[in-house]
Amino acid sequence: MSNETGTPERAEVARRLTAWVVELVPGCEESAPAEDTSLTDFAGFDSIAIVQLLAKAEAEFGVDLADQDQAIASASTIGSLADTILRLR
């Protein structure tokens, strides 16, 4: 994990990622995933949703997640994706 864990910036990145996951999975407003929830196991969050999440993150945070395989692997949880985004900034 990154040394950015626990910073206000990381918390904001994780909060925005969580909001996007809720947006991408219809009907999950009541059960938003925790930072350590496996996105691949989160009901309704499929490979298309992961690609959409990564595209939103690239646009919003100005990072290059062009290596889709590596980016998808780093997106195993909201927390791990937040760490990756902060590392790439």
Side-chain angles (χ1 to χ4, degrees), residues 13-88:
V13 169
R15 185 193 66 74
R16 291 174 88 177
L17 291 170
T18 301
W20 293 335
V21 168
V22 168
E23 204 176 279
L24 291 167
V25 180
C28 87
E29 294 84 12
E30 306 280 322
S31 61
E35 276 192 41
D36 61 349
T37 300
S38 170
L39 291 176
T40 56
D41 293 339
F42 189 67
F45 202 78
D46 58 14
S47 59
I48 293 170
I50 289 174
V51 170
Q52 290 174 321
L53 179 64
L54 296 177
K56 283 179 169 284
E58 281 186 328
E60 182 71 21
F61 300 116
V63 294
D64 181 13
L65 300 171
D67 183 353
Q68 289 279 324
D69 292 335
Q70 181 60 34
I72 289 171
S74 75
S76 61
T77 66
I78 289 171
S80 64
L81 182 56
D83 291 339
T84 298
I85 289 168
L86 289 173
R87 190 174 59 248
L88 293 173

Side-chain angles (χ1 to χ4, degrees), residues 1-11 82-87:
M1 288 185 38
S2 164
N3 61 3
E4 298 289 331
T5 301
T7 66
E9 182 181 22
R10 185 188 181 283
D83 291 339
T84 298
I85 289 168
L86 289 173
R87 190 174 59 248

